[in-house]
Amino acid sequence: MNKLNYEKTIGKWNMIEIQCCGPTDKNPFADFWIRGVFNGKNEKAAVDGFYDGDGIYCVRFMPSFEGEYKFTLSSNFPMPEDHGAFTVTRQEEGNHGPVRVQNTYHFAYEDGSPYYSIGTTCYVWHLQADRLIEQTLQNLSEFAFNKIRFCIFPKHYAYNLGEPREYPYEGRPMDSGILTVDNFYEYDGHAKGNQWDFFRFNPAYFRHIEKCIVRLQKLGIEADLILMHPYDRWGFSCMDDAADDFYLNYILARFSAYRNVWWSLANEYDLMKDKNYQNWEHYADLICRKDPYSHLRSIHNCVHFYDHTRPWITHCSIQRQDIYKSSEMVQEWRGRYKKPVVLDEIMYEGNIQYGWGNISAQEMVRRFWEATCRGGYAGHGETYLNSQDILWWSHGGKLLGESHKRFRFLHEIVCETPGTGLKLYERSSWDEVCAVPEQIGKENQYYLFYYSFMQPAFREFDMKNEEEYEVTIIDTWEMTTTKAGRKKGKFIVELPGKPYIAVQLKRAEQR
Amino acid sequence: MNKLNYEKTIGKWNMIEIQCCGPTDKNPFADFWIRGVFNGKNEKAAVDGFYDGDGIYCVRFMPSFEGEYKFTLSSNFPMPEDHGAFTVTRQEEGNHGPVRVQNTYHFAYEDGSPYYSIGTTCYVWHLQADRLIEQTLQNLSEFAFNKIRFCIFPKHYAYNLGEPREYPYEGRPMDSGILTVDNFYEYDGHAKGNQWDFFRFNPAYFRHIEKCIVRLQKLGIEADLILMHPYDRWGFSCMDDAADDFYLNYILARFSAYRNVWWSLANEYDLMKDKNYQNWEHYADLICRKDPYSHLRSIHNCVHFYDHTRPWITHCSIQRQDIYKSSEMVQEWRGRYKKPVVLDEIMYEGNIQYGWGNISAQEMVRRFWEATCRGGYAGHGETYLNSQDILWWSHGGKLLGESHKRFRFLHEIVCETPGTGLKLYERSSWDEVCAVPEQIGKENQYYLFYYSFMQPAFREFDMKNEEEYEVTIIDTWEMTTTKAGRKKGKFIVELPGKPYIAVQLKRAEQR
């Protein structure tokens, strides 16, 4: 390869990669650098490149506009060429661009299509064997998920004592043969026996993750990438400042140009005893500077929330702080943070020994509806014991539960909301959750009443306006909708007298 | 009747009534009075008597000790005799005396037997037709209830538009024929058309209540008498200060000597807009002075708790303040008030339109277990729609639900607690409710782990002591117990992986 290698035409919000041959001596990750400046009519961006192994240096870019682009490269090694041009065409169907915050509390794709998050968590699904990865993707696509949370680094925890398919660095891990279900928790990032060069990446590791990100992208699924996490025995959770920055710069150079990437600075940041507030703020600053596309950014707690008012945080990524009230807190957090509230962990459907991993499918679906009707977004996860010890929450695989089958139904109902997103109606009665459109002016077009675990056999409505509404009774568990006619003013709706029922009122078409 | 009329021998903790003829002119309720002083070896008490109609004046007393008692009467009218004597014998079987606070957070009968409250609410069951009253008593006795909350005054509310079987005062009520399900809430205690003499009682009304109290007593059921409440169209909720005192004095003179009476100053005191803090404190003072037996006293909230730290309050009578967390708050309230916590309303099993009356049987039973394991006491109620509009919560009748069938099972398990009562173990894991005996020194004899809506397929235990325990798996919904052998130290217990499971560890007998 004597010249720069890249596509001359790409679709908007796709990634263009400029490949360039370069030196393989010394430490190519640390001792050589390459950068690019991209110029279109509507945008200009400077990005860092990275070393991808085998003497190949790459610079990546995601154009946000159609038209002609030029780029110039710079590096501290001789290049065959230092500039080029390409054409950005209209994006392919189904490509709506990156997800952005819209309407303060909600999300939309950059093309304006609403994005109602139905998330799940499979922490290290991408570090499993190919067959399992395919099964995960199959399951993700079959159900309504449009976001998945997963870690860049491998996971060490109960049900996670095996080794990942490969490692992010050159070197070798501690002997995991000594681990048992009884002693694993004695090993953390400070465990002896790991030998890594934190300044020499294993590019294959990251190329594999990119393959996974692209697979998700094709399925319309956002990749909520967890950059750091505490469940570690390899030492990746307690690298020094220089290694952390080196890592984050590499991640940013490699992954930023994928439109479906979100940055989750950490899973359970508050369990990472080697990191402090200054560290997190420094990482955030680095991400803000090095990601020219401003992908969504957050940081997930175990016990204590990070200060979600920080300007770099685009949305709250919340782990419930109370067993009994999780999604029910959404409006409080909306009020406090004035940002979208994403409940990435509300306890998982399953039956393992840990309380965070053994709620019923009914309770999971209930928490999704509670969150949705209060103008937030819940996240799924699944932890059912099985003979293979393959738990969706960590490994992906096949969904064994019941809650995930109910999310497409929920999603379709939310998609009927006029404007973007729901919020709790301030005149909700104490014994109902009444959701109305977030958007001002749309309030009396649409109401969604949710009765949670309550089981009224009828409810009285007093709409206090002159509109006529189409009434639909929704069984959120059985996924049925039953038309109950057109009503106005004061009226009664007979209900099945069982839990998990909602009533939708949609303003009738003018006749 | 020319002499005093009374039994010469009664059992301890039973009521002796001294009847005396007196004037019938003027207003016998207001213009004449009678009092008694009772003297035994171990106690002396002064009590007010009352006019019972038909020229009969009564003085009542409940002796708390065996042996000889003398009494002297005084009055402002001529009496045939003014003193007498009687013998108090050992109480009959099943009579354990009044319920007292024990161990700060719990209850016991005066004879020391533990009293684990399983309460229900039937606000005006006693004001229904005889047949319905008999059915209520039949249902109460069949299930495990040992406390019932009900009102002295009739109730006006949805499903309660009819007239009571009789009235507490001479006079006549407003025309209730004008009431409909749509307009009833416009009528309160200030409604026009009621004509009562608040200084002339209808003794038959109170004699009937006493019959009901005695029927409950024979079934071992405490009568938690609600002295005032807001759901009124007759004006009984907004009498003036003199009439309130007149009423309370009459109640105290008539009812105090029944051992199974508790005083609930009000249901939902905070909805009684005509009463203020000074009123409630005044009533409490009156009750403390005029009830020589110190029956249990509390006051029940709608939204805002009364200040349960007030010394006259013997226990908290709580209506849940949050839909999602009710019993789960017990340890917080125990800590705040240092008194027994009785959750008299945690929402009722049923399917009516109101959120307080439409939880499932499963949720009701769950709330009972949560309360119990945290060292509190939950209360039941039932509100199922039916063709007769007879709802247990108000009218009594026949229980239609499923939760009540599970309380005897719970009660039997609580009765196995060493000492009196349970409390939350301070080393409970965040994802379980571990109850231990309240009593110091009994902690490591007994543990009751409850998993609520969680559904672990197994749990790991680490008892951190050398004791051996009998392990029993309890399905709180199916009411099954399954022995799981003797275990010590660290061990695993396999569980059914469904909600509402508990595990009991009982120290094994020394071999």
Side-chain angles (χ1 to χ4, degrees):
Chain A
M1 192 163 65
N2 291 322
K3 301 176 70 179
L4 298 179
N5 185 24
Y6 59 97
E7 301 285 332
K8 299 299 179 294
T9 304
I10 62 154
K12 187 165 73 162
W13 298 316
N14 279 309
M15 193 254 283
I16 184 163
E17 179 175 279
I18 322 291
Q19 294 183 348
C20 167
C21 289
T24 55
D25 61 328
K26 300 204 278 187
N27 178 353
F29 298 99
D31 295 323
F32 301 105
W33 56 261
I34 183 167
R35 292 186 194 114
V37 173
F38 293 79
N39 249 300
K41 184 184 162 203
N42 295 300
E43 66 177 330
K44 178 177 176 174
V47 298
D48 286 350
F50 62 93
Y51 182 60
D52 195 31
D54 303 322
I56 305 293
Y57 292 74
C58 300
V59 175
R60 290 172 172 179
F61 178 65
M62 176 187 75
S64 296
F65 297 90
E66 293 173 49
E68 303 307 313
Y69 279 75
K70 290 181 179 170
F71 67 86
T72 54
L73 303 183
S74 56
S75 65
N76 65 349
F77 58 85
M79 292 185 288
E81 301 181 277
D82 68 355
H83 65 278
F86 56 93
T87 303
V88 177
T89 58
R90 184 173 168 74
Q91 71 276 18
E92 73 279 15
E93 208 183 344
N95 175 355
H96 301 287
V99 172
R100 308 295 186 193
V101 172
Q102 188 167 71
N103 228 346
T104 307
Y105 300 106
H106 300 279
F107 300 103
Y109 294 100
E110 195 162 308
D111 74 353
S113 328
Y115 169 82
Y116 300 117
S117 176
I118 302 279
T120 191
T121 293
C122 306
Y123 283 122
V124 286
W125 69 282
H126 58 301
L127 300 181
Q128 312 304 315
D130 286 343
R131 222 186 109 263
L132 197 56
I133 289 175
E134 291 306 319
Q135 198 179 39
T136 306
L137 289 165
Q138 173 61 31
N139 272 261
L140 285 170
S141 70
E142 196 170 328
F143 302 101
F145 299 113
N146 56 19
K147 179 168 91 73
I148 180 172
R149 247 172 21 115
F150 62 100
C151 305
I152 306 289
F153 288 128
K155 183 176 176 93
H156 168 73
Y157 195 69
Y159 306 103
N160 286 268
L161 304 185
E163 296 293 340
R165 57 187 286 153
E166 50 196 330
Y167 299 95
Y169 294 103
E170 288 184 21
R172 59 180 180 79
M174 64 170 278
D175 173 16
S176 59
I178 60 171
L179 300 173
T180 70
V181 292
D182 290 324
N183 74 7
F184 77 86
Y185 54 84
E186 297 165 18
Y187 295 85
D188 63 12
H190 297 285
K192 299 277 180 291
N194 289 296
Q195 294 188 0
W196 305 112
D197 184 343
F198 290 135
F199 295 87
R200 283 184 187 265
F201 295 104
N202 169 16
Y205 186 86
F206 297 90
R207 273 198 298 269
H208 171 70
I209 294 179
E210 286 155 12
K211 256 175 58 187
C212 292
I213 292 172
V214 170
R215 292 291 297 278
L216 293 171
Q217 196 178 82
K218 288 195 190 334
L219 297 172
I221 299 171
E222 301 297 299
D224 196 355
L225 296 177
I226 297 167
L227 302 177
M228 297 185 181
H229 73 267
Y231 301 107
D232 175 39
R233 69 170 180 263
W234 299 274
F236 306 142
S237 63
C238 46
M239 304 186 297
D240 65 20
D241 291 354
D244 280 342
D245 281 12
F246 200 70
Y247 160 71
L248 288 173
N249 276 311
Y250 196 67
I251 292 290
L252 285 155
R254 292 201 72 119
F255 295 166
S256 293
Y258 293 97
R259 69 173 174 274
N260 60 325
V261 158
W262 299 20
W263 306 120
S264 177
L265 264 65
N267 184 40
E268 304 190 348
Y269 81 93
D270 46 337
L271 298 192
M272 298 190 73
K273 299 305 175 200
D274 292 285
K275 309 298 176 196
N276 59 29
Y277 182 77
Q278 281 68 35
N279 292 129
W280 297 117
E281 289 294 311
H282 168 75
Y283 305 147
D285 177 63
L286 197 154
I287 292 167
C288 288
R289 283 188 290 110
K290 296 292 181 80
D291 163 17
Y293 319 103
S294 298
H295 289 289
L296 294 170
R297 292 174 298 261
S298 195
I299 180 166
H300 187 75
N301 63 294
C302 178
V303 175
H304 303 290
F305 288 171
Y306 200 88
D307 174 8
H308 291 308
T309 65
R310 295 289 301 137
W312 61 264
I313 296 183
T314 54
H315 64 286
C316 309
S317 169
I318 283 177
Q319 179 168 168
R320 53 95 200 88
Q321 294 181 311
D322 186 283
I323 291 180
Y324 303 91
K325 288 182 81 167
S326 55
S327 307
E328 296 77 14
M329 302 293 291
V330 163
Q331 72 267 42
E332 183 173 326
W333 296 326
R334 281 173 43 124
R336 195 186 306 163
Y337 299 118
K338 309 267 188 262
K339 292 179 183 179
V341 170
V342 183
L343 281 141
D344 280 308
E345 193 190 326
I346 49 174
M347 299 163 75
Y348 303 132
E349 180 188 348
N351 65 357
I352 59 169
Q353 71 270 44
Y354 307 115
W356 49 260
N358 57 30
I359 63 170
S360 66
Q362 285 85 348
E363 179 64 11
M364 176 62 90
V365 174
R366 192 188 70 75
R367 290 177 181 210
F368 262 75
W369 276 82
E370 287 274 3
T372 301
C373 293
R374 292 165 193 274
Y377 298 92
H380 161 271
E382 192 186 280
T383 44
Y384 279 108
L385 291 177
N386 58 78
S387 54
Q388 279 89 45
D389 266 4
I390 297 174
L391 281 69
W392 176 267
W393 134 85
S394 197
H395 315 103
K398 186 172 161 47
L399 284 159
L400 304 173
E402 286 294 327
S403 65
H404 61 279
K405 301 173 187 170
R406 271 97 182 157
F407 298 145
R408 192 178 301 283
F409 180 76
L410 165 62
H411 191 259
E412 283 167 2
I413 285 171
V414 176
C415 285
E416 297 179 4
T417 311
T420 302
L422 291 162
K423 68 178 174 190
L424 190 68
Y425 188 37
E426 74 268 21
R427 289 195 288 170
S428 282
S429 165
W430 71 276
D431 59 353
E432 70 189 12
V433 178
C434 175
V436 291
E438 186 78 63
Q439 214 151 307
I440 292 166
K442 306 268 185 187
E443 298 93 339
N444 68 351
Q445 287 184 26
Y446 184 92
Y447 299 87
L448 185 59
F449 297 83
Y450 179 59
Y451 302 112
S452 196
F453 55 79
M454 290 171 277
Q455 44 179 23
F458 70 95
R459 288 285 289 188
E460 295 161 326
F461 295 81
D462 182 357
M463 297 317 294
K464 297 194 197 320
N465 65 40
E466 286 305 301
E467 304 297 341
E468 195 179 38
Y469 292 95
E470 308 245 19
V471 180
T472 305
I473 299 163
I474 299 168
D475 185 327
T476 67
W477 179 254
E478 297 296 342
M479 296 184 284
T480 58
T481 56
T482 309
K483 296 282 178 202
R486 291 186 172 203
K487 312 264 188 184
K488 64 189 287 184
K490 280 191 184 191
F491 55 91
I492 281 177
V493 178
E494 307 275 345
L495 298 171
K498 59 181 189 173
Y500 316 132
I501 302 298
V503 171
Q504 184 196 57
L505 305 189
K506 264 164 109 171
R507 198 160 72 181
E509 300 296 323
Q510 304 301 320
R511 279 183 284 200
Chain B
M1 192 160 68
N2 291 321
K3 304 176 68 178
L4 298 178
N5 185 25
Y6 59 96
E7 300 285 333
K8 299 297 179 293
T9 303
I10 62 154
K12 187 165 75 164
W13 297 318
N14 279 310
M15 193 256 281
I16 185 164
E17 178 175 279
I18 323 292
Q19 293 182 348
C20 170
C21 289
T24 56
D25 60 329
K26 299 204 278 188
N27 178 353
F29 297 101
D31 296 323
F32 302 105
W33 55 261
I34 184 168
R35 293 188 193 111
V37 175
F38 292 79
N39 249 301
K41 186 180 160 207
N42 294 300
E43 65 177 330
K44 177 177 177 173
V47 299
D48 286 350
F50 62 92
Y51 181 61
D52 196 28
D54 303 322
I56 305 293
Y57 291 75
C58 300
V59 176
R60 290 173 172 179
F61 178 66
M62 177 187 75
S64 296
F65 298 91
E66 292 173 50
E68 304 306 314
Y69 278 74
K70 291 182 177 167
F71 67 87
T72 54
L73 303 183
S74 56
S75 65
N76 64 349
F77 58 85
M79 290 185 290
E81 302 180 278
D82 70 354
H83 65 279
F86 57 92
T87 303
V88 178
T89 59
R90 184 173 167 72
Q91 71 278 18
E92 73 279 14
E93 207 181 346
N95 175 353
H96 301 288
V99 172
R100 308 296 187 192
V101 171
Q102 188 166 73
N103 227 346
T104 306
Y105 300 107
H106 300 279
F107 300 103
Y109 293 101
E110 195 162 308
D111 76 353
S113 327
Y115 169 80
Y116 300 117
S117 176
I118 302 280
T120 191
T121 293
C122 307
Y123 283 120
V124 285
W125 69 283
H126 58 302
L127 300 181
Q128 311 304 316
D130 286 344
R131 220 184 112 260
L132 197 56
I133 289 177
E134 291 306 319
Q135 196 178 40
T136 307
L137 289 164
Q138 173 61 30
N139 272 262
L140 285 169
S141 69
E142 196 171 326
F143 301 102
F145 298 112
N146 56 19
K147 179 166 92 70
I148 180 171
R149 247 175 19 117
F150 62 100
C151 304
I152 306 290
F153 288 128
K155 183 177 175 92
H156 168 74
Y157 195 69
Y159 306 103
N160 287 268
L161 303 186
E163 296 293 337
R165 57 186 286 149
E166 49 197 331
Y167 299 94
Y169 294 103
E170 288 185 18
R172 59 180 181 77
M174 65 170 276
D175 172 18
S176 60
I178 61 171
L179 300 173
T180 68
V181 294
D182 289 325
N183 74 7
F184 78 86
Y185 54 83
E186 297 165 17
Y187 295 85
D188 63 12
H190 297 285
K192 300 278 180 289
N194 290 293
Q195 294 189 0
W196 306 111
D197 183 344
F198 290 137
F199 294 88
R200 285 186 186 264
F201 295 105
N202 169 17
Y205 186 87
F206 296 92
R207 274 198 298 270
H208 171 70
I209 295 180
E210 286 156 13
K211 257 173 58 185
C212 293
I213 292 172
V214 170
R215 293 290 298 277
L216 294 171
Q217 197 179 81
K218 287 196 192 330
L219 297 173
I221 299 171
E222 301 297 300
D224 197 354
L225 296 178
I226 297 166
L227 302 177
M228 297 184 181
H229 73 267
Y231 300 108
D232 175 36
R233 69 169 179 263
W234 299 274
F236 307 142
S237 64
C238 47
M239 302 186 297
D240 66 19
D241 291 354
D244 280 342
D245 280 13
F246 200 70
Y247 160 70
L248 289 172
N249 276 310
Y250 196 68
I251 291 291
L252 286 155
R254 292 201 72 118
F255 295 165
S256 292
Y258 293 97
R259 69 174 176 274
N260 60 325
V261 157
W262 299 21
W263 306 121
S264 178
L265 265 63
N267 184 40
E268 303 189 349
Y269 81 94
D270 46 338
L271 297 193
M272 297 189 73
K273 299 304 174 202
D274 293 285
K275 310 297 176 196
N276 60 30
Y277 182 77
Q278 281 68 35
N279 292 128
W280 298 117
E281 289 294 311
H282 169 75
Y283 306 146
D285 177 62
L286 198 156
I287 292 168
C288 288
R289 283 188 291 109
K290 296 291 181 82
D291 164 16
Y293 319 103
S294 297
H295 289 290
L296 294 170
R297 291 174 298 262
S298 195
I299 182 167
H300 187 75
N301 63 293
C302 177
V303 175
H304 303 291
F305 289 171
Y306 201 87
D307 174 9
H308 291 308
T309 65
R310 295 289 302 135
W312 62 265
I313 295 182
T314 55
H315 64 285
C316 310
S317 169
I318 283 176
Q319 179 169 168
R320 52 95 199 90
Q321 295 181 310
D322 187 282
I323 291 181
Y324 304 91
K325 287 183 82 168
S326 56
S327 308
E328 297 77 13
M329 301 295 290
V330 163
Q331 72 268 41
E332 183 173 325
W333 296 326
R334 280 172 45 122
R336 196 187 305 163
Y337 300 117
K338 309 271 188 259
K339 290 179 185 177
V341 171
V342 182
L343 281 141
D344 281 307
E345 193 191 326
I346 50 175
M347 297 161 76
Y348 303 132
E349 180 188 349
N351 64 357
I352 58 170
Q353 70 270 43
Y354 306 116
W356 50 259
N358 58 30
I359 64 169
S360 67
Q362 285 86 348
E363 179 64 10
M364 175 63 89
V365 174
R366 192 188 71 75
R367 290 177 182 211
F368 262 75
W369 277 81
E370 288 274 2
T372 301
C373 293
R374 293 165 193 273
Y377 298 93
H380 161 270
E382 193 184 282
T383 43
Y384 278 109
L385 291 177
N386 59 79
S387 54
Q388 281 86 44
D389 265 3
I390 297 174
L391 282 68
W392 174 267
W393 135 85
S394 198
H395 316 103
K398 185 171 161 47
L399 285 159
L400 303 173
E402 287 294 325
S403 65
H404 61 279
K405 302 174 187 170
R406 273 93 182 160
F407 298 145
R408 193 178 300 285
F409 180 77
L410 165 62
H411 191 258
E412 283 167 0
I413 284 169
V414 176
C415 286
E416 297 179 5
T417 311
T420 301
L422 292 161
K423 67 179 174 190
L424 190 70
Y425 188 38
E426 72 270 20
R427 287 196 288 168
S428 283
S429 165
W430 71 276
D431 58 354
E432 69 191 10
V433 178
C434 175
V436 292
E438 186 78 61
Q439 214 151 307
I440 291 166
K442 306 267 185 189
E443 297 92 339
N444 70 352
Q445 287 182 25
Y446 184 92
Y447 299 87
L448 185 59
F449 298 83
Y450 179 59
Y451 302 113
S452 195
F453 56 78
M454 289 169 278
Q455 45 178 22
F458 70 96
R459 287 285 290 187
E460 296 162 324
F461 296 81
D462 181 357
M463 296 317 295
K464 297 194 195 324
N465 66 40
E466 286 305 301
E467 305 296 341
E468 195 180 38
Y469 293 95
E470 307 245 23
V471 180
T472 305
I473 299 163
I474 299 168
D475 186 326
T476 68
W477 179 254
E478 298 295 342
M479 296 185 284
T480 59
T481 56
T482 309
K483 297 282 180 202
R486 292 186 171 204
K487 313 265 187 182
K488 63 189 290 185
K490 281 192 185 190
F491 55 92
I492 281 175
V493 177
E494 307 274 345
L495 298 172
K498 59 180 187 173
Y500 315 132
I501 301 299
V503 171
Q504 183 197 55
L505 304 188
K506 263 163 112 172
R507 198 159 71 180
E509 301 296 324
Q510 305 299 321
R511 281 182 285 200

